Amino acid sequence: MKKHFSQMGKKELEYLKNRFKGIPQGRWKFNSYSKMRAIKRGVDMSVFRSFWTDGFDIVEFHQHEEKKENRLLLRTILTDSNDNQVCAVFNFTTMEVTTVYLNYRKNKHSNLVWSEYDSTISIKDAFKRPAV
C-alpha cells in the first residue's frame, strides 16, 4: 500500500516529517543493497546527509505488505553538481536505508502509475498496526 504526497493532508505530512526528524541520523543504517546502490549511482554523501541539515520533501509513504514494514521515500532539497537530488527510502521498522538513488531536480514524474497509490490510507493508523 502506497500513498503519494499529493494525497496527504497537512497533518499527515507534518506527522511523517516529525516522525523522521525525531530519529537521529546516527540511528539509520545502510543495508548492503543500499550501500551498493549509493556507490553504483555515485551518490554524493554530503547531499545525502543534507536530509538532516537542509531538509527534504516527502515523496510517498509505503507500507510493505509482505515484510510488514513502514517506509518513507524522501528527496533532498539540496542538489549535487549535476543538479540531481538524492532520493532514499527509510524503513522505520528496521531503521535501515532500504535504497538510494539520484533524481534530476526538474523531473516531473509524468510516468507515475497512479493505480499503485491509495489515498484512503491513514498514515497514523499504519504506524499503530503492523502492515497487512
Side-chain angles (χ1 to χ4, degrees):
M1 299 187 315
K2 295 195 287 188
K3 189 169 188 176
H4 191 264
F5 79 92
S6 66
Q7 299 170 319
M8 297 179 201
K10 283 184 180 183
K11 287 183 180 182
E12 284 184 316
L13 289 168
E14 194 64 31
Y15 176 82
L16 288 171
K17 282 183 181 183
N18 289 336
R19 187 101 189 197
F20 179 76
K21 287 179 179 181
I23 300 169
Q25 180 181 353
R27 294 241 357 247
W28 294 103
K29 305 296 180 211
F30 278 82
N31 61 27
S32 58
Y33 179 76
S34 61
K35 280 182 196 174
M36 177 198 63
R37 296 284 283 186
I39 292 166
K40 243 182 179 177
R41 295 192 168 185
V43 172
D44 181 330
M45 293 310 290
S46 64
V47 177
F48 176 83
R49 287 188 294 278
S50 77
F51 280 115
W52 292 273
T53 58
D54 294 83
F56 54 85
D57 290 317
I58 293 173
V59 178
E60 73 180 32
F61 170 78
H62 177 195
Q63 192 172 60
H64 194 287
E65 296 176 21
E66 291 174 22
K67 295 184 178 182
K68 306 202 182 320
E69 298 169 342
N70 289 324
R71 301 174 178 188
L72 188 60
L73 171 57
L74 302 177
R75 179 177 50 235
T76 60
I77 293 170
L78 194 66
T79 61
D80 66 14
S81 59
N82 295 315
D83 208 20
N84 291 313
Q85 295 166 301
V86 174
C87 294
V89 175
F90 293 88
N91 185 328
F92 285 92
T93 307
T94 64
M95 298 305 298
E96 291 178 328
V97 178
T98 302
T99 191
V100 61
Y101 59 94
L102 299 173
N103 188 48
Y104 182 58
R105 181 180 54 86
K106 294 182 181 177
N107 183 347
K108 300 296 182 200
H109 304 286
S110 58
N111 59 347
L112 283 179
V113 181
W114 284 102
S115 61
E116 293 182 7
Y117 294 94
D118 182 354
S119 64
T120 66
I121 295 171
S122 168
I123 303 293
K124 285 184 180 181
D125 287 347
F127 276 94
K128 290 178 186 173
R129 67 177 189 283
V132 290

